[in-house]
Amino acid sequence: MKWLALVSIALVIAAPGAAGAQGRTPTQISPAAPTVGGPSGMPPAPAPGRPARPATSTLADTAPGAPAASPVTSVPSGTPIPSDYVIGPGDVLQISVWKNDTLSRVVPVRPDGKISMPLLDDIQAAGLTPLQLRDKIAAALAEFMPNPEVAVGVVEVRSYRVSVLGEVQKPGVLQLKAPTTVLEALALAGGFRDFASPSKIIIFRKDAQGQTQRLRFNYNRAVGSAGEDNVSLRSGDVIVVP
């Protein structure tokens, strides 16, 4: 009978513990926070609702189809016209006669190279510089008025054309709007091809007598430490890159 009493006492002691276990709220274990960099060295995931910080972009990160930096395609306008600029067909001129609004006007140079003015009819303008045309108009007006004061300005350049031929990416005729150098013309032509000889460039130019001159231009020396002069082009020049 003693062992029955011991069993009864054991059941009474164990019952409250079992009831407490049934009413106990289980402990929730939170997952461990990820370590910085993660196990593989990757950056931690962004918090919910917060966009990930973009990485610093590089040239290699440019999105497909995004336009790349384009080469020079035009010469900036508004550059002062040099005093030795030679007027050509298509140019637009401003003729100003002091204290005479009737004779002062904006005139285009016709395809035949002439302009029209009151009293003077047709005057040859193509082939002259603005200063030479000024003197020519003043001398013609001197027959009608004493000491005429004349000014000639180039309002718009339309006859300034040069050709770039040979081993360049885009050979052809360049329609220019402002004074341009050989280096700028080569940039407008897209640069050299793989087998070009930049040190042997030749510029063909006609002088006032109609004779063709051959000017040599060394691109490597012009852009290098030698500092060779960057030749300013004239209308009608032909650049040949062998």
Side-chain angles (χ1 to χ4, degrees):
M1 296 298 293
K2 290 184 178 181
W3 62 271
L4 291 175
L6 292 175
V7 170
S8 299
I9 294 172
L11 290 175
V12 172
I13 295 174
Q22 293 176 358
R24 181 184 304 166
T25 301
T27 302
Q28 296 183 355
I29 301 176
S30 300
T35 58
V36 177
S40 61
M42 297 295 292
R50 177 181 298 178
R53 183 178 180 181
T56 304
S57 62
T58 62
L59 292 177
D61 298 330
T62 304
S70 58
V72 177
T73 54
S74 62
V75 178
S77 59
T79 306
I81 303 298
S83 59
D84 60 348
Y85 174 76
V86 178
I87 299 170
D91 289 344
V92 180
L93 308 178
Q94 171 72 58
I95 310 296
S96 301
V97 181
W98 189 55
K99 292 186 176 180
N100 196 318
D101 295 336
T102 303
L103 295 176
S104 300
R105 58 189 56 206
V106 176
V107 294
V109 181
R110 301 198 306 257
D112 60 359
K114 297 180 179 181
I115 61 174
S116 298
M117 288 189 63
L119 299 179
L120 307 181
D121 296 329
D122 293 342
I123 299 177
Q124 183 67 32
L128 303 177
T129 66
L131 294 180
Q132 291 172 337
L133 181 59
R134 177 202 66 181
D135 295 340
K136 186 174 183 177
I137 294 175
L141 289 176
E143 299 181 7
F144 304 94
M145 61 185 67
N147 301 322
E149 295 290 336
V150 180
V152 176
V154 181
V155 177
E156 187 174 352
V157 175
R158 295 181 180 176
S159 65
Y160 193 12
R161 297 181 180 89
V162 300
S163 300
V164 185
L165 306 176
E167 295 298 313
V168 292
Q169 299 294 339
K170 296 182 293 183
V173 179
L174 300 178
Q175 175 70 60
L176 305 174
K177 296 296 184 182
T180 305
T181 63
V182 176
L183 294 181
E184 290 171 329
L186 292 173
L188 288 170
F192 303 113
R193 292 180 180 172
D194 293 338
F195 299 103
S197 299
S199 62
K200 299 179 181 179
I201 296 174
I202 300 176
I203 304 168
F204 293 90
R205 173 178 296 173
K206 287 188 177 181
D207 57 19
Q209 289 73 34
Q211 301 295 323
T212 300
Q213 300 176 336
R214 293 166 58 98
L215 308 177
R216 296 189 178 276
F217 181 80
N218 190 325
Y219 173 88
N220 297 330
R221 292 176 62 88
V223 300
S225 58
E228 182 172 308
D229 290 340
N230 187 9
V231 179
S232 296
L233 297 172
R234 298 179 184 177
S235 183
D237 283 354
V238 179
I239 303 171
V240 178
V241 181

